[in-house]
Amino acid sequence: MPSAPAADETPTSSETESTSAPTAGEAEREFYDNLVVYRQMAHQSDAVPSSWKTPPEGTWSEVDASTRDLYVSVGKEMCASGFSDTGLAEGNTDVYMSWLSARFLCPEHLDVAETELVAFTSQQLLDVLEYSVLKGNATTEDVMLGLVSCEAAMELAYEPPPGYDKGYFCWIMRVSAIGESGDEWDFLKFFDGENADEAGFDALAKELGATPSALGGLLGDE
C-alpha cells in the first residue's frame, strides 16, 4: 500500500483514545457501527483485506436485534478466544478483527492487537483505522453519505495521487479533515447541501496530492 499523503503531521492512534469507558451496550453498538464503516472502507479499497468486503446488512438502527447479536458475537468470540498471554492465540490470523474487537469490546487486549496489526501491515494503517473511528454526534449514515459524496466529487473532477483509488483517497481526506479536532463535521461540511464547502474540499484534495481531471479543469474555468 502506498504511503498516505498528509496535509499535516498525522497524530498517533494513542492520542485519540477515549477518556471514559462506554457501557457494555454502548460498546456493542460502537463495535457494530464501526464494523459497518470499516467494511465499507474495505469495499472501496484494497487497503484492508478481502475478508472484510461484505458489510453487515445495515447500520445498528436499521437491523433487528438478531442481526446485531450475530455480528457482535463475532467480536465477543474474538475477545474470548483470540488472544493468548503473549499475543494472538494460535490459529488467529485476523489481525483486523482482533484489533476492532479489542478496540471496542475488550480493551485489555488492545496493546497486543495494535502490535500485531502494525507487524502485519503498518503503523500508517493503524493510524488510518484509529482516525476512522466514528467521531462525535455523526452517525454511520452521515459518514457513509459523506464518503459516497466524496467519491462522486473525485470521479467528476479529480484524479487521486498515483497508487490511490478514489475510495481510499476519500478515506485519507476524511482522516485529514477530522485531524486533531475529532469532529466528523470537519469532513461532512464539504457535502452539506447548499452550504457545501466546495472551496475547502478543493483545497484539501489538492494539498493531499489530487489533481483536477480534464473535466475538473473545465469546471474550474467556468
Side-chain angles (χ1 to χ4, degrees):
M1 185 179 70
S3 298
D8 298 297
E9 182 179 354
T10 303
T12 62
S13 60
S14 62
E15 294 172 339
T16 67
E17 292 178 359
S18 174
T19 57
S20 59
T23 65
E26 290 170 342
E28 290 179 5
R29 177 165 185 163
E30 288 179 356
F31 170 82
Y32 181 93
D33 278 344
N34 279 282
L35 176 62
V36 173
V37 170
Y38 288 132
R39 287 196 168 178
Q40 178 66 18
M41 177 181 177
H43 178 71
Q44 291 178 313
S45 170
D46 293 330
V48 285
S50 58
S51 61
W52 280 36
K53 293 293 185 186
T54 305
E57 290 83 352
T59 63
W60 183 273
S61 60
E62 294 172 337
V63 301
D64 59 25
S66 62
T67 301
R68 298 170 190 163
D69 291 344
L70 174 65
Y71 285 96
V72 171
S73 68
V74 174
K76 289 182 174 180
E77 178 62 26
M78 180 64 77
C79 288
S81 60
F83 298 91
S84 68
D85 292 338
T86 58
L88 299 185
E90 184 177 357
N92 178 13
T93 59
D94 192 342
V95 295
Y96 297 90
M97 185 58 73
S98 298
W99 175 81
L100 188 66
S101 301
R103 176 64 174 77
F104 294 103
L105 300 176
C106 47
E108 66 273 17
H109 296 307
L110 185 57
D111 286 346
V112 166
E114 287 185 342
T115 298
E116 296 290 342
L117 179 63
V118 169
F120 186 76
T121 59
S122 67
Q123 180 65 47
Q124 175 211 352
L125 184 55
L126 172 60
D127 290 340
V128 170
L129 291 174
E130 180 61 46
Y131 274 84
S132 295
V133 169
L134 290 168
K135 306 292 197 304
N137 294 323
T139 65
T140 312
E141 292 88 341
D142 292 330
V143 173
M144 303 289 259
L145 180 58
L147 290 168
V148 168
S149 299
C150 175
E151 193 164 356
M154 291 294 299
E155 188 69 35
L156 177 65
Y158 297 89
E159 294 293 340
Y164 281 81
D165 58 55
K166 294 177 175 67
Y168 186 57
F169 185 73
C170 283
W171 277 88
I172 297 298
M173 285 197 68
R174 175 174 170 246
V175 169
S176 299
I178 294 171
E180 295 183 358
S181 73
D183 188 347
E184 203 76 55
W185 294 102
D186 283 342
F187 174 68
L188 298 178
K189 68 182 180 182
F190 295 145
F191 319 106
D192 188 19
E194 295 181 355
N195 299 316
D197 183 7
E198 296 179 1
F201 179 92
D202 180 72
L204 181 59
K206 290 177 179 176
E207 189 173 355
L208 293 174
T211 54
S213 63
L215 179 57
L218 291 175
L219 293 173
D221 291 338
E222 292 181 356

